[in-house]
Amino acid sequence: MLKRSLQNKRLVLVFVGFFLLISGVVCSLKIGSVNVNIHEIFILLFHPEDAATYHIVFNIRLPRILIGALVGMNLAVSGAILQGVLRNPIAEPSIIGISSGAGLFAIIVMILVPEQTIYVPLVSFIGAMLAATMVYGIAYRSKLSPMALILSGVAMASFLGAFMTTLMVFHSDKVQGVINWLAGGFPARSWMHLKTILPYSLFGLTMAFLLGRYVNILLLGDDISKSLGLRLELTRLTLIALSALLAASAVCVSGLIGFVGLIVPHMVRLVIGSNYSYLLPFSALFASSFVIWTDLAARTIFYPVELPVGIFMAFMGAPFFLFLLRKNLKVYRAS
Amino acid sequence: MDRGLMLKGVSFGYTEAEVLKDLSLTFKDSGIVSIIGPNGSGKSTILRLIARLLRPEKGYVLLDGKNILSLPTKAVAKRLAILTQNLKCPEDIRVKDLVSYGRTPYSSIFGSSAEEDRRVINWAIEVCGLKDLSERPVVSLSGGERQRAWIAMVLAQRTDLLLLDEPITYLDIHHQIEMMELVRRLNVDYGVRILMVLHDINLAIRFSQRLIAVKDGQIVGQDCPKTLITEDFLLKVFNIKAEIMTKAGLPYIIPWGIVT
């Protein structure tokens, strides 16, 4: 009886998720500086005669939508994995140094060699992975215990953050672009950016969905995990490396969007529970539509001013999350 | 072949204070064996070394004659399982989910045999009397039911050897006996060999074929309960004065004082 209801709930949520995703994609294609209806989009697809509109719909809006979807999936899955592996509800990609590493490297390029801005995605990806590797390296001697990882991650973040602030203070004339990048968002994202993130997303998400079951085991504690034949350090290392890869590839095309990786996994957990076999795919599904809808809002509501999407995520997502939290607080009762 | 478990000259210490000193032990019993001894004597450490949760500083733990640490951990997980104290799982995990995690050693990242898994999971739930509770969250169960759910999980692991670290510590007397009867059933009906740490000497006597007494990191006696449990023995190992009666052909101890 109960089982039926849980399965039904999941089925309903699959439909809701895909409905939100597809409607988000369609609305985002239609709405903007030029409003296009669905009929016109179809005509454009097969007879691209109106070159200007075609360009807007298929070279500006479509890649932006797809990038938003992938970024959302990457960040949410990365955050969900970290919350499980580190057994810490406030874990998110920045806790293993991803955001500060990417941020520092991006700022160095934008401030010191602004003519090379095209390399910001690549460089910030390198920065993110470097920072994550260093956090690892420090925590490795403790056999990657969650506490050691969190502490070294937080210390690394504030260390790199200090460099960022210093650079910004000394180059206060050039910080406008930096501030926008730090706030995160998807203005002027193109097919090139999509190509940057796509391979990492495909690989990372596939692996994450396959390995999600092992997070369930890790949540039973180290002793039981070992007794069940899990190679504890290898499993943790692999899962954290995966979440680093996912988050780094997202951050390097979107800037520092923080909210998705922290909140979306919690929203999904509150609704469908903490079984990672379902939590990860559902987090990906809802994060992608969440980012698409908030990005649409961010670029249209105060048109022609475009707000950073992170601000909208907080405005729309946080109250909804608080509502869910109030209703389901027992999930977080001390265990 | 040298089947069974052996500890050979095992030493282990938390920092300086040695917990186990050059301890050797053979476990080839087909029945239930209980380790008894005072607090801090190293009982749990023995179980944790066998379950490779700890590495011996000296000596070896041998499974079928091979160093257990040199065997693939998945292969070991099909031979022996441990239930430690203070078990925890996420709030909303249902009994059925928990039991299904016992199938982990039989899966790879590409999944496992769903048919076989379902069969074993249902069997384990049935054996532990959890059929009506299988859809309930584990944390919503009573202490005794929760402990049975964990037993079902290790049962789904299909090991022939089960290590239990004080499985009845937080249970009331009814559920203590219920748990011990379940353990006995696992042994008699399903051939699972049991090695457990118990504090309750009377239950240990009643439900074990052999007792191993540990004190200060060394084995101070091992035998069948009838032979091992004497007033002298209790005085020596636990520093207690106790009277020993006979109940159903087995010793039954009534402790009435300590010796300091």
Side-chain angles (χ1 to χ4, degrees), chain A residues 143, chain B residues 11-12 48-49 52-58 69:
Chain A
K143 304 191 170 179
Chain B
S11 294
F12 184 87
R48 296 177 70 82
L49 283 162
R52 72 224 183 284
L53 307 181
L54 299 171
R55 289 170 156 269
E57 280 158 16
K58 272 183 239 153
L69 293 174

Side-chain angles (χ1 to χ4, degrees), chain A residues 1-4 6 10 87 143 207 210-211 213-214 216-217 219-224 226-231 269 272-276 330-335, chain B residues 48 51-53 73-74 77 80-84 87-94 96-98 101-105 107-111 135-136 139 150 153 157:
Chain A
M1 173 61 209
L2 259 161
K3 179 179 182 180
R4 196 45 42 81
L6 191 64
R10 285 181 192 139
R87 289 185 216 129
K143 304 191 170 179
M207 289 299 288
L210 287 174
L211 295 174
R213 302 182 291 118
Y214 294 112
N216 287 332
I217 308 298
L219 286 170
L220 303 179
D222 290 4
D223 290 347
I224 297 297
K226 276 191 190 168
S227 171
L228 285 168
L230 218 62
R231 294 165 72 183
R269 186 177 284 121
I272 69 150
S274 55
N275 185 338
Y276 270 73
K330 67 174 193 299
V331 177
Y332 292 99
R333 233 173 13 199
S335 48
Chain B
R48 296 177 70 82
R52 72 224 183 284
L53 307 181
T73 178
K74 249 188 186 178
L80 62 88
I82 187 170
L83 277 190
T84 51
L87 300 161
K88 57 180 193 309
C89 77
E91 286 285 321
D92 56 337
I93 290 302
R94 299 167 307 154
K96 211 169 186 176
D97 299 323
L98 182 67
Y101 298 157
R103 301 302 294 162
T104 306
S107 69
S108 72
I109 68 164
F110 300 110
E135 305 292 342
R136 291 260 302 273
V139 288
W150 284 96
M153 189 203 79
Q157 214 173 322

Side-chain angles (χ1 to χ4, degrees), chain B residues 47-67:
Chain B
L47 286 196
R48 296 177 70 82
L49 283 162
I50 295 173
R52 72 224 183 284
L53 307 181
L54 299 171
R55 289 170 156 269
E57 280 158 16
K58 272 183 239 153
Y60 309 94
V61 177
L62 303 174
L63 179 64
D64 298 344
K66 294 193 196 89
N67 186 345

